Amino acid sequence: MAHVLMKFGGGLITTKSKMKTIDERAIAKLSGLIKQLLDLDNRVTIVHGAGSFGHLKAKEWKIAEGAKPSILMEQKQAVKSIRADMLELNRLLCDSLTTLDVDSQSFPPSQWATEVGPNFLGDLTPIVNCDDSVVPITFGDVVNCSEPNLFGILSGDDLMVRLGKEIPTITHCIFLLGDTEGLLSAPPSDPNSELVRIWNSKMPISGEHDKQQDVTGGIFLKLNSASKISRVVENVWFIDGRRPERVLELLNSGNTRGTQIVP
Ligand code: IPE
């Protein structure tokens, strides 16, 4: 039996550039994957990103930079609105699981976490000790921070680091990506770009950070997070989220097409 911690990237479950648009087909496939994993007696813990339910408004109102006196009223309104949007996205995912008779329980970070980055504060034990018949789900969110920032963006990648380290039963930690098969040797636009099959933090990366839409760290934060987890979890992978069957293949055979992150 495996315990799989998975992150659904925001670019996988939403269309990143179009305000609050979900990818219904992708979500249905991912729910099917969770159902299959549970039917095979595995445990599953989920973290999801924000995509167009978080990044667009966060970018517009500079939420990741913290409170700015000249626009504080508007920022406070945006914080409320992003939190509501994230709850809505989370609800859509949970509803999709319910249609397959999968019970889930949501843990919205704005309600239990403060501060940003992997050392954020908050009690993870309700997620760690969640009944194994239920799929715990948490997500990247706007959280309260101490002064002068007042608020900030806690990324799902940071939640992955803490859950990967603090849930002792985790055997697999998988980042499901929306637009690539794993880590590429060069930006996707480069014709020589190839899938990197195995990566450790001493290897160079030539990434692109999509500052247009992304208010968290993009591929760099993801690699850094995965690298930290690989020190405690044996199987840490980046896999193409449009091909959920690769997760099952990894569990069955110990290998699949994707990038394995090693310490
Ligand atoms: C971002 O979380 C949260 C908000 C912008 C509110 P993530 O960093 O985990 O989201 P994605 O995966 O990049 O969309």
Side-chain angles (χ1 to χ4, degrees):
M1 192 189 97
H3 187 166
V4 189
L5 171 65
M6 278 190 292
K7 180 178 178 203
F8 299 164
L12 172 62
I13 55 176
T14 77
T15 303
K16 272 195 123 166
S17 57
K18 266 177 91 183
M19 184 66 90
K20 289 180 69 184
T21 25
I22 54 160
D23 188 331
E24 228 162 305
R25 232 173 69 102
I27 291 175
K29 279 214 272 189
L30 295 167
S31 298
L33 169 66
I34 294 173
K35 169 80 174 159
Q36 273 180 294
L37 289 170
L38 296 173
D39 285 349
L40 293 165
D41 273 342
N42 300 294
R43 277 179 74 175
V44 180
T45 300
I46 299 294
V47 174
H48 67 80
S52 56
F53 284 66
H55 288 277
L56 298 175
K57 281 180 194 162
K59 171 104 189 157
E60 183 177 359
W61 295 106
K62 301 184 168 40
I63 301 303
E65 294 168 36
K68 294 187 181 294
S70 59
I71 51 166
L72 191 54
M73 289 280 276
E74 291 88 343
Q75 282 186 312
K76 284 189 171 167
Q77 201 48 50
V79 167
K80 263 197 200 162
S81 155
I82 296 166
R83 284 175 175 161
D85 292 348
M86 287 308 299
L87 287 172
E88 191 180 326
L89 174 61
N90 179 255
R91 169 79 7 237
L92 291 165
L93 284 171
C94 295
D95 286 350
S96 164
L97 287 170
T98 307
T99 61
L100 300 178
D101 284 328
V102 173
D103 288 332
S104 59
Q105 190 180 346
S106 295
F107 298 89
S110 64
Q111 298 170 13
W112 59 270
T114 60
E115 308 299 335
V116 298
N119 299 319
F120 67 86
L121 306 177
D123 185 9
L124 287 166
T125 49
I127 304 180
V128 175
N129 297 331
C130 192
D131 192 293
D132 60 8
S133 63
V134 175
V135 176
I137 307 191
T138 187
F139 48 84
D141 204 356
V142 185
V143 294
N144 290 340
C145 295
S146 50
E147 285 185 26
N149 277 14
L150 304 181
F151 43 76
I153 307 272
L154 177 61
S155 170
D157 295 342
D158 293 319
L159 289 157
M160 288 292 280
V161 172
R162 293 287 296 281
L163 292 172
K165 287 184 177 175
E166 291 176 37
I167 304 180
T169 47
I170 300 287
T171 56
H172 295 74
C173 177
I174 302 172
F175 292 81
L176 288 179
L177 311 171
D179 54 359
T180 150
E181 295 196 284
L183 175 65
L184 301 177
S185 61
S189 51
D190 185 328
N192 296 320
S193 147
E194 289 178 353
L195 176 65
V196 177
R197 302 299 294 250
I198 186 157
W199 186 84
N200 69 55
S201 58
K202 285 166 213 86
M203 291 164 70
I205 30 169
S206 95
E208 246 176 3
H209 181 191
D210 189 357
K211 287 212 182 60
Q212 287 287 46
Q213 284 136 27
D214 204 329
V215 297
T216 45
I219 191 73
F220 298 104
L221 175 63
K222 224 174 278 304
L223 280 171
N224 195 270
S225 306
S227 176
K228 287 180 186 156
I229 303 166
S230 72
R231 294 179 209 140
V232 280
V233 175
E234 199 171 327
N235 306 285
V236 180
W237 284 75
F238 287 2
I239 293 177
D240 191 336
R242 300 161 298 186
R243 306 291 303 270
E245 67 281 5
R246 292 183 182 168
V247 174
L248 296 167
E249 188 183 40
L250 175 66
L251 290 183
N252 277 331
S253 70
N255 207 349
T256 191
R257 190 165 172 81
T259 303
Q260 183 177 14
I261 315 294
V262 292

